[in-house]
Amino acid sequence: MSLTWGKGDVAALIFAALLLFVMPMLISTYTLTVLVIYGMLALSLGLIWGFGGILCFGQAAFFGLGAYTYAVAAINIGESTVPMLLAVFVPALFAALLGAMMFYGRLTDVYLGVITLVVTLILFKFVNSTAGPQYKIGEARLGGFNGIPGFHTLNVPGQPDSYIWGDALYYVSAVALIMVFFFITWLLRTPFGRIAVGIRENETRVSLMGYDVRARKTALFAIGAGIAGLAGGFFANWGEIVTPGLFSLGQSAEIIIWCIVGGLGTRFGPILGAAGLAYLKFALGQQTLIDNTLITGIILVLFVLFLPKGIVPAVTSLWSVSFAKRASRNRRHRRGSRQAGGTYG
């Protein structure tokens, strides 16, 4: 097992650092912050679906749960450090319990997708129905369809009056995304990660080798939910309000589309798909001629038909073919040069 940094990791870190400082020159940090958050959210599904083979239609449930957990905790605690930790822990615990019931119940992929979707819809329906004053957790009223506004936003740990917002929030979110990216990179290189990929390829064979497939799928499911919850916590700080729309069916569908377009089974794909499609949605939101949902649907259909593996795998394959042709051409050129030298020598 190798946990050392390779050339690819160093190149990825340099590329991320360049983007971190160059992108604010092209796009406002307000927009960039939510693109980074969506990239983190897509990466959470990319981990459990692309590498673990767990078909989940309910990643929005963990995203919304993280956002609501942060808002409720921030109102009751009055600072952001503990609420951000809870935004990761609560969705992870919820996913661990849900995953244990599903995986130890030996449910197949179709039923997993249905159950995760139903759980998301239940949370959406429940949060929408909490408008009364009796629906409160401590000092925080859930607010029903109006959501929860006016909570304490991100601050420097230990300094509740030192708020992190604007450009600073973008840089903190971007660094968090980079840390999550390299955490997933490390995780996939451990025996746990390699076995998770093996489960995706052939669950029966891995089980026959003596590994507890159900426990490992539950753990991976919980890790993905924790990352989604972290994204939800940052989203709450970006929007400064949380609403039931975070649990909506449209939100769940968008996360899946981001991963498909970017490329399942890759680390960069979900981030690229989320940032690209979300930015396109924002750009289209400034016009009323074409419905955004129609454009997103057309993009999904085109990618499924012509680029079923997504952007990143397609570009990687094209690069590999081009590099192989160039290397072959250089070898033929060197061989021809040696033969010519031997003839005239």
Side-chain angles (χ1 to χ4, degrees):
M1 178 181 65
S2 175
L3 300 180
T4 58
W5 282 54
K7 293 182 179 179
D9 299 324
V10 175
L13 183 60
I14 294 174
F15 181 69
L18 288 175
L19 286 180
L20 182 66
F21 293 103
V22 171
M23 291 306 295
M25 303 177 187
L26 306 175
I27 306 174
S28 70
T29 53
Y30 181 79
T31 302
L32 283 174
T33 302
V34 74
L35 296 183
V36 166
I37 292 169
Y38 283 157
M40 191 185 305
L41 175 59
L43 190 57
S44 71
L45 180 60
L47 172 64
I48 65 174
W49 187 19
F51 292 102
I54 302 171
L55 182 60
C56 177
F57 286 98
Q59 206 67 7
F62 309 129
F63 179 64
L65 194 58
Y68 265 83
T69 298
Y70 175 85
V72 170
I75 290 175
N76 285 283
I77 296 176
E79 68 95 40
S80 67
T81 307
V82 174
M84 283 299 291
L85 295 175
L86 290 174
V88 176
F89 176 75
V90 171
L93 178 61
F94 179 76
L97 297 175
L98 178 63
M101 289 188 292
M102 294 190 302
F103 301 129
Y104 281 91
R106 300 183 182 278
L107 298 180
T108 58
D109 289 342
V110 174
Y111 292 103
L112 287 175
V114 171
I115 289 177
T116 52
L117 179 61
V118 169
V119 167
T120 305
L121 294 177
I122 290 174
L123 288 174
F124 175 71
K125 183 69 175 177
F126 169 74
V127 176
N128 262 301
S129 63
T130 57
Q134 69 274 22
Y135 294 103
K136 53 188 290 188
I137 301 175
E139 298 298 323
R141 290 182 55 178
L142 298 182
F145 54 83
N146 290 320
I148 306 177
F151 46 83
H152 195 288
T153 55
L154 198 65
N155 61 260
V156 176
Q159 302 179 29
D161 296 328
S162 300
Y163 292 97
I164 300 174
W165 59 281
D167 293 350
L169 181 59
Y170 158 68
Y171 288 113
V172 170
S173 302
V175 170
L177 175 60
I178 294 172
M179 292 175 64
V180 168
F181 177 86
F182 283 104
F183 167 73
I184 290 177
T185 300
W186 168 81
L187 183 68
L188 293 173
R189 290 177 181 173
T190 63
F192 175 86
R194 294 180 179 180
I195 294 169
V197 175
I199 293 172
R200 178 196 67 185
E201 297 298 325
N202 194 320
E203 182 175 333
T204 303
R205 180 175 295 179
V206 173
S207 179
L208 291 174
M209 291 173 65
Y211 296 107
D212 190 343
V213 170
R214 295 166 294 181
R216 292 173 184 275
K217 292 175 73 172
T218 300
L220 189 68
F221 194 61
I223 292 172
I227 296 173
L230 177 63
F234 277 113
F235 186 87
N237 284 280
W238 173 80
E240 299 184 11
I241 185 174
V242 294
T243 63
L246 297 172
F247 298 99
S248 67
L249 181 60
Q251 182 73 69
S252 297
E254 281 189 349
I255 304 170
I256 294 172
I257 293 173
W258 294 340
C259 292
I260 293 175
V261 170
L264 279 175
T266 66
R267 293 167 296 157
F268 287 106
I271 300 174
L272 180 63
L277 290 180
Y279 186 72
L280 177 63
K281 181 179 179 180
F282 293 149
L284 291 174
Q286 301 175 6
Q287 54 82 41
T288 58
L289 182 63
I290 305 175
D291 183 35
N292 293 345
T293 306
L294 178 62
I295 297 297
T296 304
I298 292 174
I299 291 174
L300 176 62
V301 171
L302 291 176
F303 269 86
V304 170
L305 289 176
F306 300 105
L307 285 176
K309 293 183 178 181
I311 294 176
V312 171
V315 172
T316 303
S317 299
L318 183 63
W319 173 261
S320 299
V321 171
S322 176
F323 183 79
K325 288 183 178 179
R326 190 182 303 114
S328 178
R329 194 160 50 245
N330 291 337
R331 284 195 299 269
R332 288 198 300 268
H333 177 72
R334 288 195 299 269
R335 191 181 303 115
S337 299
R338 287 196 299 269
Q339 291 175 352
T343 300
Y344 292 104

PDB file of all heavy atoms in Angstrom, residues 165-190:
ATOM      1  N   TRP A 165     -16.657  35.712   5.632  1.00  0.00           N
ATOM      2  CA  TRP A 165     -17.664  35.883   4.592  1.00  0.00           C
ATOM      3  C   TRP A 165     -16.994  36.507   3.363  1.00  0.00           C
ATOM      4  O   TRP A 165     -15.822  36.883   3.389  1.00  0.00           O
ATOM      5  CB  TRP A 165     -18.812  36.767   5.078  1.00  0.00           C
ATOM      6  CG  TRP A 165     -18.367  38.145   5.499  1.00  0.00           C
ATOM      7  CD1 TRP A 165     -17.772  38.487   6.674  1.00  0.00           C
ATOM      8  CD2 TRP A 165     -18.447  39.345   4.723  1.00  0.00           C
ATOM      9  NE1 TRP A 165     -17.474  39.827   6.698  1.00  0.00           N
ATOM     10  CE2 TRP A 165     -17.895  40.382   5.511  1.00  0.00           C
ATOM     11  CE3 TRP A 165     -18.946  39.650   3.457  1.00  0.00           C
ATOM     12  CZ2 TRP A 165     -17.808  41.698   5.051  1.00  0.00           C
ATOM     13  CZ3 TRP A 165     -18.873  40.960   3.005  1.00  0.00           C
ATOM     14  CH2 TRP A 165     -18.321  41.957   3.794  1.00  0.00           C
ATOM     15  N   GLY A 166     -17.751  36.570   2.258  1.00  0.00           N
ATOM     16  CA  GLY A 166     -17.215  37.176   1.039  1.00  0.00           C
ATOM     17  C   GLY A 166     -16.065  36.373   0.471  1.00  0.00           C
ATOM     18  O   GLY A 166     -16.132  35.148   0.324  1.00  0.00           O
ATOM     19  N   ASP A 167     -14.963  37.052   0.157  1.00  0.00           N
ATOM     20  CA  ASP A 167     -13.792  36.387  -0.429  1.00  0.00           C
ATOM     21  C   ASP A 167     -13.220  35.335   0.513  1.00  0.00           C
ATOM     22  O   ASP A 167     -12.784  34.261   0.069  1.00  0.00           O
ATOM     23  CB  ASP A 167     -12.710  37.417  -0.754  1.00  0.00           C
ATOM     24  CG  ASP A 167     -13.130  38.367  -1.872  1.00  0.00           C
ATOM     25  OD1 ASP A 167     -14.171  38.100  -2.511  1.00  0.00           O
ATOM     26  OD2 ASP A 167     -12.421  39.360  -2.102  1.00  0.00           O
ATOM     27  N   ALA A 168     -13.211  35.626   1.804  1.00  0.00           N
ATOM     28  CA  ALA A 168     -12.649  34.677   2.772  1.00  0.00           C
ATOM     29  C   ALA A 168     -13.434  33.375   2.785  1.00  0.00           C
ATOM     30  O   ALA A 168     -12.848  32.287   2.880  1.00  0.00           O
ATOM     31  CB  ALA A 168     -12.640  35.298   4.168  1.00  0.00           C
ATOM     32  N   LEU A 169     -14.761  33.461   2.665  1.00  0.00           N
ATOM     33  CA  LEU A 169     -15.578  32.248   2.640  1.00  0.00           C
ATOM     34  C   LEU A 169     -15.264  31.409   1.411  1.00  0.00           C
ATOM     35  O   LEU A 169     -15.240  30.177   1.483  1.00  0.00           O
ATOM     36  CB  LEU A 169     -17.065  32.621   2.663  1.00  0.00           C
ATOM     37  CG  LEU A 169     -18.051  31.450   2.653  1.00  0.00           C
ATOM     38  CD1 LEU A 169     -17.835  30.543   3.864  1.00  0.00           C
ATOM     39  CD2 LEU A 169     -19.490  31.949   2.608  1.00  0.00           C
ATOM     40  N   TYR A 170     -15.004  32.067   0.298  1.00  0.00           N
ATOM     41  CA  TYR A 170     -14.628  31.334  -0.919  1.00  0.00           C
ATOM     42  C   TYR A 170     -13.330  30.559  -0.705  1.00  0.00           C
ATOM     43  O   TYR A 170     -13.243  29.369  -1.035  1.00  0.00           O
ATOM     44  CB  TYR A 170     -14.478  32.296  -2.095  1.00  0.00           C
ATOM     45  CG  TYR A 170     -13.612  31.748  -3.208  1.00  0.00           C
ATOM     46  CD1 TYR A 170     -14.035  30.664  -3.983  1.00  0.00           C
ATOM     47  CD2 TYR A 170     -12.345  32.281  -3.464  1.00  0.00           C
ATOM     48  CE1 TYR A 170     -13.227  30.135  -4.978  1.00  0.00           C
ATOM     49  CE2 TYR A 170     -11.542  31.775  -4.458  1.00  0.00           C
ATOM     50  CZ  TYR A 170     -11.987  30.702  -5.212  1.00  0.00           C
ATOM     51  OH  TYR A 170     -11.189  30.177  -6.198  1.00  0.00           O
ATOM     52  N   TYR A 171     -12.324  31.222  -0.157  1.00  0.00           N
ATOM     53  CA  TYR A 171     -11.038  30.552   0.029  1.00  0.00           C
ATOM     54  C   TYR A 171     -11.134  29.416   1.045  1.00  0.00           C
ATOM     55  O   TYR A 171     -10.529  28.349   0.852  1.00  0.00           O
ATOM     56  CB  TYR A 171      -9.976  31.573   0.460  1.00  0.00           C
ATOM     57  CG  TYR A 171      -9.561  32.504  -0.649  1.00  0.00           C
ATOM     58  CD1 TYR A 171      -9.866  33.859  -0.599  1.00  0.00           C
ATOM     59  CD2 TYR A 171      -8.873  32.029  -1.759  1.00  0.00           C
ATOM     60  CE1 TYR A 171      -9.494  34.716  -1.628  1.00  0.00           C
ATOM     61  CE2 TYR A 171      -8.499  32.873  -2.793  1.00  0.00           C
ATOM     62  CZ  TYR A 171      -8.810  34.216  -2.728  1.00  0.00           C
ATOM     63  OH  TYR A 171      -8.455  35.043  -3.746  1.00  0.00           O
ATOM     64  N   VAL A 172     -11.911  29.614   2.098  1.00  0.00           N
ATOM     65  CA  VAL A 172     -12.084  28.541   3.083  1.00  0.00           C
ATOM     66  C   VAL A 172     -12.806  27.349   2.445  1.00  0.00           C
ATOM     67  O   VAL A 172     -12.418  26.190   2.639  1.00  0.00           O
ATOM     68  CB  VAL A 172     -12.871  29.058   4.307  1.00  0.00           C
ATOM     69  CG1 VAL A 172     -13.267  27.896   5.223  1.00  0.00           C
ATOM     70  CG2 VAL A 172     -12.036  30.060   5.086  1.00  0.00           C
ATOM     71  N   SER A 173     -13.847  27.621   1.671  1.00  0.00           N
ATOM     72  CA  SER A 173     -14.593  26.548   0.993  1.00  0.00           C
ATOM     73  C   SER A 173     -13.708  25.819  -0.009  1.00  0.00           C
ATOM     74  O   SER A 173     -13.759  24.583  -0.109  1.00  0.00           O
ATOM     75  CB  SER A 173     -15.823  27.127   0.284  1.00  0.00           C
ATOM     76  OG  SER A 173     -16.665  27.802   1.181  1.00  0.00           O
ATOM     77  N   ALA A 174     -12.910  26.581  -0.757  1.00  0.00           N
ATOM     78  CA  ALA A 174     -12.038  25.971  -1.763  1.00  0.00           C
ATOM     79  C   ALA A 174     -10.981  25.082  -1.107  1.00  0.00           C
ATOM     80  O   ALA A 174     -10.698  23.978  -1.583  1.00  0.00           O
ATOM     81  CB  ALA A 174     -11.376  27.052  -2.609  1.00  0.00           C
ATOM     82  N   VAL A 175     -10.401  25.559  -0.002  1.00  0.00           N
ATOM     83  CA  VAL A 175      -9.411  24.745   0.713  1.00  0.00           C
ATOM     84  C   VAL A 175     -10.074  23.489   1.276  1.00  0.00           C
ATOM     85  O   VAL A 175      -9.479  22.396   1.251  1.00  0.00           O
ATOM     86  CB  VAL A 175      -8.754  25.580   1.836  1.00  0.00           C
ATOM     87  CG1 VAL A 175      -7.914  24.678   2.744  1.00  0.00           C
ATOM     88  CG2 VAL A 175      -7.883  26.677   1.239  1.00  0.00           C
ATOM     89  N   ALA A 176     -11.310  23.617   1.755  1.00  0.00           N
ATOM     90  CA  ALA A 176     -12.036  22.443   2.254  1.00  0.00           C
ATOM     91  C   ALA A 176     -12.271  21.432   1.129  1.00  0.00           C
ATOM     92  O   ALA A 176     -12.135  20.219   1.345  1.00  0.00           O
ATOM     93  CB  ALA A 176     -13.373  22.875   2.858  1.00  0.00           C
ATOM     94  N   LEU A 177     -12.610  21.913  -0.062  1.00  0.00           N
ATOM     95  CA  LEU A 177     -12.795  21.010  -1.206  1.00  0.00           C
ATOM     96  C   LEU A 177     -11.498  20.294  -1.555  1.00  0.00           C
ATOM     97  O   LEU A 177     -11.493  19.085  -1.822  1.00  0.00           O
ATOM     98  CB  LEU A 177     -13.300  21.797  -2.414  1.00  0.00           C
ATOM     99  CG  LEU A 177     -13.419  21.004  -3.722  1.00  0.00           C
ATOM    100  CD1 LEU A 177     -14.377  19.830  -3.577  1.00  0.00           C
ATOM    101  CD2 LEU A 177     -13.854  21.922  -4.866  1.00  0.00           C
ATOM    102  N   ILE A 178     -10.392  21.019  -1.543  1.00  0.00           N
ATOM    103  CA  ILE A 178      -9.093  20.404  -1.836  1.00  0.00           C
ATOM    104  C   ILE A 178      -8.759  19.342  -0.788  1.00  0.00           C
ATOM    105  O   ILE A 178      -8.266  18.242  -1.117  1.00  0.00           O
ATOM    106  CB  ILE A 178      -7.992  21.478  -1.892  1.00  0.00           C
ATOM    107  CG1 ILE A 178      -8.234  22.411  -3.087  1.00  0.00           C
ATOM    108  CG2 ILE A 178      -6.614  20.833  -1.998  1.00  0.00           C
ATOM    109  CD1 ILE A 178      -7.311  23.619  -3.110  1.00  0.00           C
ATOM    110  N   MET A 179      -9.039  19.638   0.470  1.00  0.00           N
ATOM    111  CA  MET A 179      -8.775  18.668   1.538  1.00  0.00           C
ATOM    112  C   MET A 179      -9.650  17.427   1.371  1.00  0.00           C
ATOM    113  O   MET A 179      -9.170  16.291   1.556  1.00  0.00           O
ATOM    114  CB  MET A 179      -9.019  19.315   2.899  1.00  0.00           C
ATOM    115  CG  MET A 179      -8.020  20.398   3.247  1.00  0.00           C
ATOM    116  SD  MET A 179      -8.411  21.260   4.795  1.00  0.00           S
ATOM    117  CE  MET A 179      -8.242  19.914   5.962  1.00  0.00           C
ATOM    118  N   VAL A 180     -10.917  17.608   1.004  1.00  0.00           N
ATOM    119  CA  VAL A 180     -11.803  16.473   0.777  1.00  0.00           C
ATOM    120  C   VAL A 180     -11.307  15.651  -0.409  1.00  0.00           C
ATOM    121  O   VAL A 180     -11.311  14.408  -0.361  1.00  0.00           O
ATOM    122  CB  VAL A 180     -13.250  16.956   0.530  1.00  0.00           C
ATOM    123  CG1 VAL A 180     -14.119  15.822   0.002  1.00  0.00           C
ATOM    124  CG2 VAL A 180     -13.846  17.513   1.814  1.00  0.00           C
ATOM    125  N   PHE A 181     -10.852  16.336  -1.447  1.00  0.00           N
ATOM    126  CA  PHE A 181     -10.343  15.648  -2.638  1.00  0.00           C
ATOM    127  C   PHE A 181      -9.158  14.738  -2.280  1.00  0.00           C
ATOM    128  O   PHE A 181      -9.118  13.572  -2.675  1.00  0.00           O
ATOM    129  CB  PHE A 181      -9.926  16.679  -3.684  1.00  0.00           C
ATOM    130  CG  PHE A 181      -9.325  16.085  -4.928  1.00  0.00           C
ATOM    131  CD1 PHE A 181     -10.135  15.669  -5.975  1.00  0.00           C
ATOM    132  CD2 PHE A 181      -7.955  15.943  -5.053  1.00  0.00           C
ATOM    133  CE1 PHE A 181      -9.587  15.115  -7.122  1.00  0.00           C
ATOM    134  CE2 PHE A 181      -7.395  15.393  -6.194  1.00  0.00           C
ATOM    135  CZ  PHE A 181      -8.217  14.984  -7.230  1.00  0.00           C
ATOM    136  N   PHE A 182      -8.211  15.270  -1.535  1.00  0.00           N
ATOM    137  CA  PHE A 182      -7.038  14.467  -1.190  1.00  0.00           C
ATOM    138  C   PHE A 182      -7.354  13.434  -0.109  1.00  0.00           C
ATOM    139  O   PHE A 182      -6.689  12.393  -0.041  1.00  0.00           O
ATOM    140  CB  PHE A 182      -5.882  15.378  -0.765  1.00  0.00           C
ATOM    141  CG  PHE A 182      -5.193  16.033  -1.922  1.00  0.00           C
ATOM    142  CD1 PHE A 182      -5.413  17.364  -2.218  1.00  0.00           C
ATOM    143  CD2 PHE A 182      -4.351  15.302  -2.745  1.00  0.00           C
ATOM    144  CE1 PHE A 182      -4.805  17.959  -3.304  1.00  0.00           C
ATOM    145  CE2 PHE A 182      -3.726  15.892  -3.825  1.00  0.00           C
ATOM    146  CZ  PHE A 182      -3.951  17.223  -4.112  1.00  0.00           C
ATOM    147  N   PHE A 183      -8.355  13.699   0.720  1.00  0.00           N
ATOM    148  CA  PHE A 183      -8.807  12.672   1.653  1.00  0.00           C
ATOM    149  C   PHE A 183      -9.367  11.478   0.895  1.00  0.00           C
ATOM    150  O   PHE A 183      -9.060  10.318   1.218  1.00  0.00           O
ATOM    151  CB  PHE A 183      -9.863  13.236   2.595  1.00  0.00           C
ATOM    152  CG  PHE A 183     -10.604  12.180   3.373  1.00  0.00           C
ATOM    153  CD1 PHE A 183      -9.993  11.504   4.414  1.00  0.00           C
ATOM    154  CD2 PHE A 183     -11.912  11.834   3.038  1.00  0.00           C
ATOM    155  CE1 PHE A 183     -10.662  10.517   5.133  1.00  0.00           C
ATOM    156  CE2 PHE A 183     -12.599  10.848   3.739  1.00  0.00           C
ATOM    157  CZ  PHE A 183     -11.978  10.186   4.790  1.00  0.00           C
ATOM    158  N   ILE A 184     -10.175  11.736  -0.131  1.00  0.00           N
ATOM    159  CA  ILE A 184     -10.730  10.650  -0.944  1.00  0.00           C
ATOM    160  C   ILE A 184      -9.616   9.937  -1.705  1.00  0.00           C
ATOM    161  O   ILE A 184      -9.627   8.705  -1.835  1.00  0.00           O
ATOM    162  CB  ILE A 184     -11.801  11.207  -1.902  1.00  0.00           C
ATOM    163  CG1 ILE A 184     -13.030  11.636  -1.105  1.00  0.00           C
ATOM    164  CG2 ILE A 184     -12.181  10.173  -2.964  1.00  0.00           C
ATOM    165  CD1 ILE A 184     -14.116  12.274  -1.934  1.00  0.00           C
ATOM    166  N   THR A 185      -8.645  10.702  -2.203  1.00  0.00           N
ATOM    167  CA  THR A 185      -7.494  10.089  -2.882  1.00  0.00           C
ATOM    168  C   THR A 185      -6.765   9.136  -1.945  1.00  0.00           C
ATOM    169  O   THR A 185      -6.417   8.009  -2.320  1.00  0.00           O
ATOM    170  CB  THR A 185      -6.526  11.184  -3.364  1.00  0.00           C
ATOM    171  OG1 THR A 185      -7.209  12.051  -4.274  1.00  0.00           O
ATOM    172  CG2 THR A 185      -5.323  10.567  -4.074  1.00  0.00           C
ATOM    173  N   TRP A 186      -6.527   9.593  -0.715  1.00  0.00           N
ATOM    174  CA  TRP A 186      -5.869   8.721   0.273  1.00  0.00           C
ATOM    175  C   TRP A 186      -6.730   7.514   0.598  1.00  0.00           C
ATOM    176  O   TRP A 186      -6.226   6.383   0.676  1.00  0.00           O
ATOM    177  CB  TRP A 186      -5.603   9.532   1.544  1.00  0.00           C
ATOM    178  CG  TRP A 186      -5.199   8.676   2.707  1.00  0.00           C
ATOM    179  CD1 TRP A 186      -3.956   8.171   2.963  1.00  0.00           C
ATOM    180  CD2 TRP A 186      -6.061   8.190   3.754  1.00  0.00           C
ATOM    181  NE1 TRP A 186      -3.987   7.410   4.115  1.00  0.00           N
ATOM    182  CE2 TRP A 186      -5.265   7.402   4.613  1.00  0.00           C
ATOM    183  CE3 TRP A 186      -7.406   8.352   4.039  1.00  0.00           C
ATOM    184  CZ2 TRP A 186      -5.785   6.783   5.744  1.00  0.00           C
ATOM    185  CZ3 TRP A 186      -7.926   7.740   5.157  1.00  0.00           C
ATOM    186  CH2 TRP A 186      -7.122   6.968   5.996  1.00  0.00           C
ATOM    187  N   LEU A 187      -8.029   7.747   0.783  1.00  0.00           N
ATOM    188  CA  LEU A 187      -8.933   6.652   1.158  1.00  0.00           C
ATOM    189  C   LEU A 187      -8.945   5.555   0.097  1.00  0.00           C
ATOM    190  O   LEU A 187      -8.944   4.366   0.421  1.00  0.00           O
ATOM    191  CB  LEU A 187     -10.344   7.202   1.365  1.00  0.00           C
ATOM    192  CG  LEU A 187     -11.407   6.197   1.835  1.00  0.00           C
ATOM    193  CD1 LEU A 187     -11.098   5.761   3.265  1.00  0.00           C
ATOM    194  CD2 LEU A 187     -12.800   6.818   1.763  1.00  0.00           C
ATOM    195  N   LEU A 188      -8.954   5.941  -1.165  1.00  0.00           N
ATOM    196  CA  LEU A 188      -9.015   4.968  -2.247  1.00  0.00           C
ATOM    197  C   LEU A 188      -7.722   4.171  -2.390  1.00  0.00           C
ATOM    198  O   LEU A 188      -7.714   3.119  -3.015  1.00  0.00           O
ATOM    199  CB  LEU A 188      -9.335   5.664  -3.571  1.00  0.00           C
ATOM    200  CG  LEU A 188     -10.741   6.276  -3.669  1.00  0.00           C
ATOM    201  CD1 LEU A 188     -10.888   7.071  -4.950  1.00  0.00           C
ATOM    202  CD2 LEU A 188     -11.810   5.190  -3.583  1.00  0.00           C
ATOM    203  N   ARG A 189      -6.629   4.674  -1.811  1.00  0.00           N
ATOM    204  CA  ARG A 189      -5.361   3.945  -1.864  1.00  0.00           C
ATOM    205  C   ARG A 189      -5.176   3.000  -0.685  1.00  0.00           C
ATOM    206  O   ARG A 189      -4.252   2.184  -0.701  1.00  0.00           O
ATOM    207  CB  ARG A 189      -4.193   4.942  -1.902  1.00  0.00           C
ATOM    208  CG  ARG A 189      -4.112   5.707  -3.217  1.00  0.00           C
ATOM    209  CD  ARG A 189      -2.996   6.720  -3.186  1.00  0.00           C
ATOM    210  NE  ARG A 189      -2.937   7.464  -4.434  1.00  0.00           N
ATOM    211  CZ  ARG A 189      -2.140   8.508  -4.639  1.00  0.00           C
ATOM    212  NH1 ARG A 189      -1.342   8.926  -3.661  1.00  0.00           N
ATOM    213  NH2 ARG A 189      -2.146   9.132  -5.800  1.00  0.00           N
ATOM    214  N   THR A 190      -6.003   3.122   0.315  1.00  0.00           N
ATOM    215  CA  THR A 190      -5.940   2.217   1.445  1.00  0.00           C
ATOM    216  C   THR A 190      -6.597   0.885   1.083  1.00  0.00           C
ATOM    217  O   THR A 190      -7.334   0.798   0.094  1.00  0.00           O
ATOM    218  CB  THR A 190      -6.658   2.824   2.666  1.00  0.00           C
ATOM    219  OG1 THR A 190      -8.051   2.985   2.344  1.00  0.00           O
ATOM    220  CG2 THR A 190      -6.062   4.171   3.036  1.00  0.00           C
TER     221      THR A 190
END
